Amino acid sequence: MEVPILKQGAVLIATFQAALSDADLNHLRSALVQQVVRFRSRGVIVDVTAMDVMDSFASRTLREIAHIIRLRGAETVIVGIQPEVAFAMVQLGLTLEGVATALDLEEGLAYLNQKFKTMK
Amino acid sequence: MSRVEIRVTISSDQDIVVARQKGRSLALELGFSSGDATLIATAISELARNIVSYAGSGQIALKDLQGSTRVGITVTASDTGPGIPNVSQALRDGFSTSGSLGLGLPGVRRLMDEFEIDSKPGQGTRVVVKKWRP
Amino acid sequence: MAKRDESSELLRELVAHLRQNRTQLREEWVGRISETRLLTAMTKEEIFAEATSVYDSYVEALETETFEALQAYARNLSERIIPRGVETHEVVGIVLLLRDVLARSLFAKYQTDFKKLNRILDAYEPAANRIANTVAVGFVQERERVIRQQQEAIRELSTPVLQVRERLLILPIIGVIDPQRARQLTEQLLRGIRTNRAKVVVIDITGVAAMDVTVANHLVQTVEASRLLGATVIVTGLSPEIAQTLVTIGVDLGKMNTVGDLQGGIEQAERLLGYKVMALAEPN
Ligand SMILES: Nc1ncnc2c1ncn2[C@@H]1O[C@H](COP(=O)(O)OP(=O)(O)OP(=O)(O)O)[C@@H](O)[C@H]1O
Ligand SMILES: [Mg+2]
């Protein structure tokens, strides 16, 4: 299953589907990194609204994505984690430490714009 | 006595998704809240992933649990892989032989109400977890 | 073994008798139910419909000697009639009435063969008692479940998530928190964050006397889960005892956003939201 990546100005938006397999996640990671480099993006939003389970693998992949993208000089924000999913994640011990989070796409964009201002 | 039993063969990462989706729908059918169904699906995802990562293949069995005054769900993850030499170590937060987070097994224990693990080196691993409907 | 076979044999004969006389026995039973003024909350038609299903499940349970189907039906029936105010004694009452109606018809059928009557009753009685028991237990369990649900609803009301201004929620926790209530609070708060699009949450625990390790863990998880939704949590009113508990379970209080009292918490929240907190103009 392909994860669509949308380019909106300096920001890339990747929208997760409900049933992503490990292979899909790995694919997404490399695609995102490639495009950040290619478009010189300054920010990445990963929208996980549709995901109904976030297990240790998905969570680790998100952290890795944020990390690699930071090395490329851009900021990542994860948006759309559902309340129930968040609850399951913290029970499991997954807190996405060091990764920015926001309520939804709109908030994620607001967060990045704020970041861009202070980075200048 | 249980009335439903669903078995999912686990041999690739795709099967992990199948197993957790089946687990969620069974949990909902049994009357669990969607919050609890998410906890159960997450636990299944971790157990199935361990099978793929460490044993190559195995099985997830999902059953309803009929107590005298309450209802629940049982998830059994079994494989005939290499087994775990030191189980109590594997249950500790942060222990991993694969450089991962080491949160799977201890996390599953927190997500569910009952947790049993039986593993023999060279013979395989069997994890049985249960959750009761509040 | 032989004894068991014989009893099964007798039960089969019994079942055949009950099937043959279904219409008449069922009517007799319904008549007795209204005579004894049971199930007064239900109409005649309803009673008749339910009685028919109960009768058939009853006979089936006798025939198969398994009780699952009956149990399921009893639960289902209870679910429907509990909201209408049907009481436990009524449910037990109607099943006992059925037991007696059927026993009487057995007396009538076998009155000439006293030995056989005795043996049939021996086979019938334990099964009938078990059936009565199954139905009663099913009903009581369902009632308990309903009561639990009502308690939950009351609890939910007793811990409001308050929106004090746009994007700012306050969760004042008062009283004793057990793990179940803690869980509920968390779920409520997380849903509240989403529906109110909150960016900052102040959890005030001034009113919480003590917190055991489980609940303290829960508080920490709530803070973490809120952050995953993009909200910042400020905890206010932390007593020294609770602070100690948090340290014991390995919480880094430096990482947790804590402010002495609720007022201070709200002020900090407003700063985070970008509101300017104005000092009162100095009188000159
Ligand atoms: N089915 C299994 N067969 C063999 N070894 C296993 C199995 N499941 C777990 N293990 C062992 O137990 C260790 C701990 O498992 P756990 O799921 O807690 O962490 P992890 O898989 O290493 O990391 P994470 O689940 O956080 O990605 C694993 O590293 C592995 O050595
Ligand atoms: Mg694991």
Side-chain angles (χ1 to χ4, degrees):
Chain A
M1 197 183 296
E2 285 277 321
V3 175
I5 301 178
L6 217 94
K7 183 176 169 305
Q8 190 167 343
V11 177
L12 292 178
I13 302 169
T15 309
F16 276 28
Q17 316 296 308
L20 286 185
S21 69
D22 300 3
D24 299 328
L25 281 168
N26 286 330
H27 177 78
L28 170 75
R29 181 178 46 198
S30 38
L32 263 179
V33 174
Q34 260 174 27
Q35 301 207 20
V36 164
V37 173
R38 185 163 145 220
F39 298 117
R40 300 216 174 87
S41 307
R42 300 182 62 198
V44 171
I45 295 179
V46 181
D47 184 356
V48 297
T49 308
M51 281 190 92
D52 61 350
V53 166
M54 183 87 81
D55 62 4
S56 58
F57 184 84
S59 164
R60 194 172 50 149
T61 310
L62 286 178
R63 275 177 69 171
E64 282 171 10
I65 289 175
H67 186 70
I68 304 173
I69 284 172
R70 183 163 306 143
L71 294 179
R72 299 280 181 277
E75 278 292 318
T76 304
V77 53
I78 314 291
V79 308
I81 298 178
Q82 296 300 309
E84 288 163 2
V85 175
F87 186 70
M89 286 174 73
V90 298
Q91 294 270 302
L92 205 54
L94 307 169
T95 56
L96 289 179
E97 216 173 308
V99 182
T101 48
L103 191 71
D104 54 19
L105 211 56
E106 191 187 326
E107 284 297 308
L109 279 167
Y111 169 84
L112 286 178
N113 285 328
Q114 188 67 33
K115 261 266 139 75
F116 297 162
K117 267 191 224 151
T118 55
M119 265 159 49
K120 257 184 210 155
Chain B
M1 265 245 310
S2 56
R3 293 170 204 160
V4 210
E5 171 155 11
I6 300 164
R7 292 159 184 270
V8 184
T9 304
I10 305 292
S11 57
S12 78
D13 60 339
Q14 302 279 355
D15 302 328
I16 301 174
V17 176
V18 174
R20 73 181 183 219
Q21 282 173 341
K22 295 214 159 136
R24 174 191 297 277
S25 24
L26 178 60
L28 292 175
E29 254 168 59
L30 294 174
F32 280 97
S33 69
S34 81
D36 276 335
T38 300
L39 300 183
I40 292 161
T42 308
I44 293 170
S45 198
E46 291 300 327
L47 294 174
R49 179 170 325 277
N50 280 353
I51 291 178
V52 175
S53 310
Y54 306 111
S57 64
Q59 189 192 60
I60 296 275
L62 308 163
K63 273 189 284 191
D64 63 319
L65 187 57
Q66 306 288 342
S68 55
T69 61
R70 47 190 190 160
V71 180
I73 189 168
T74 310
V75 178
T76 306
S78 49
D79 63 64
T80 52
I84 304 174
N86 187 338
V87 170
S88 56
Q89 193 178 39
L91 289 178
R92 233 170 277 150
D93 269 333
F95 175 83
S96 175
T97 55
S98 63
S100 189
L101 302 170
L103 288 176
L105 290 176
V108 168
R109 201 178 191 173
R110 285 189 289 268
L111 290 168
M112 305 292 282
D113 294 331
E114 290 175 37
F115 180 100
E116 259 172 65
I117 180 165
D118 186 15
S119 186
K120 290 197 189 63
Q123 288 178 32
T125 303
R126 192 178 139 90
V127 184
V128 184
V129 293
K130 295 176 184 166
K131 194 166 189 76
W132 295 100
R133 205 177 68 188
Chain C
M1 207 56 198
K3 180 127 198 218
R4 207 185 143 74
D5 282 352
E6 195 208 334
S7 136
S8 293
E9 178 66 36
L10 289 169
L11 276 179
R12 257 200 297 284
E13 193 174 327
L14 179 68
V15 166
H17 167 70
L18 298 183
R19 288 241 160 86
Q20 246 161 38
N21 300 283
R22 178 170 179 258
T23 314
Q24 181 217 326
L25 289 171
R26 190 181 41 179
E27 234 139 72
E28 206 170 303
W29 181 35
V30 172
R32 292 284 308 278
I33 292 175
S34 51
E35 257 170 48
T36 28
R37 310 199 53 78
L38 290 171
L39 302 184
T40 45
M42 294 165 74
T43 66
K44 269 221 142 57
E45 291 72 34
E46 284 174 322
I47 295 181
F48 191 78
E50 297 293 359
T52 304
S53 312
V54 174
Y55 187 94
D56 292 340
S57 317
Y58 194 102
V59 175
E60 196 193 310
L62 281 174
E63 182 175 37
T64 58
E65 292 184 63
T66 58
F67 297 81
E68 277 86 3
L70 183 70
Q71 207 165 17
Y73 180 77
R75 280 220 192 100
N76 180 290
L77 172 68
S78 308
E79 210 171 307
R80 274 178 285 130
I81 61 180
I82 286 170
R84 313 192 44 180
V86 174
E87 298 287 338
T88 310
H89 78 265
E90 293 182 277
V91 170
V92 176
I94 64 162
V95 180
L96 292 181
L97 273 183
L98 177 59
R99 191 189 69 177
D100 296 345
V101 167
L102 300 187
R104 256 185 232 186
S105 90
L106 293 177
F107 282 129
K109 180 172 159 83
Y110 295 106
Q111 57 188 343
T112 51
D113 188 349
F114 207 71
K115 264 205 186 123
K116 180 135 192 199
L117 174 64
N118 263 332
R119 282 190 292 133
I120 284 240
L121 285 178
D122 278 349
Y124 173 62
E125 235 193 77
N129 286 337
R130 236 187 112 183
I131 290 173
N133 192 41
T134 303
V135 173
V137 167
F139 184 83
V140 169
Q141 280 175 2
E142 188 57 33
R143 243 179 97 93
E144 279 171 0
R145 199 180 64 81
V146 169
I147 291 172
R148 261 202 311 278
Q149 253 176 12
Q150 286 166 346
Q151 281 172 343
E152 264 167 42
I154 291 169
R155 272 192 182 157
E156 195 124 335
L157 287 175
S158 65
T159 35
V161 176
L162 310 169
Q163 179 168 25
V164 283
R165 65 193 304 165
E166 220 177 301
R167 326 220 60 184
L168 171 56
L169 294 181
I170 295 185
L171 181 68
I173 307 179
I174 297 164
V176 183
I177 334 182
D178 53 35
Q180 202 197 338
R181 178 150 175 252
R183 160 94 192 259
Q184 224 157 15
L185 284 173
T186 311
E187 287 188 345
Q188 237 185 307
L189 177 65
L190 295 178
R191 274 199 301 269
I193 290 175
R194 224 182 149 73
T195 47
N196 297 295
R197 303 180 53 79
K199 274 201 79 85
V200 185
V201 176
V202 179
I203 302 183
D204 180 50
I205 55 172
T206 313
V208 179
M211 208 180 253
D212 65 10
V213 170
T214 319
V215 175
N217 261 314
H218 216 97
L219 178 65
V220 176
Q221 288 173 352
T222 306
V223 173
E224 288 167 341
S226 303
R227 193 195 78 85
L228 289 176
L229 299 192
T232 306
V233 176
I234 299 169
V235 181
T236 61
L238 207 65
S239 70
E241 292 78 22
I242 295 178
Q244 186 55 49
T245 309
L246 288 173
V247 172
T248 315
I249 60 170
V251 175
D252 183 350
L253 280 180
K255 274 194 195 161
M256 201 147 148
N257 223 329
T258 60
V259 174
D261 62 2
L262 182 57
Q263 187 52 39
I266 293 177
E267 280 167 17
Q268 184 178 335
E270 292 181 330
R271 270 193 298 276
L272 284 175
L273 286 168
Y275 297 108
K276 289 211 175 63
V277 183
M278 300 283 206
L280 282 175
E282 301 229 340
N284 10 325

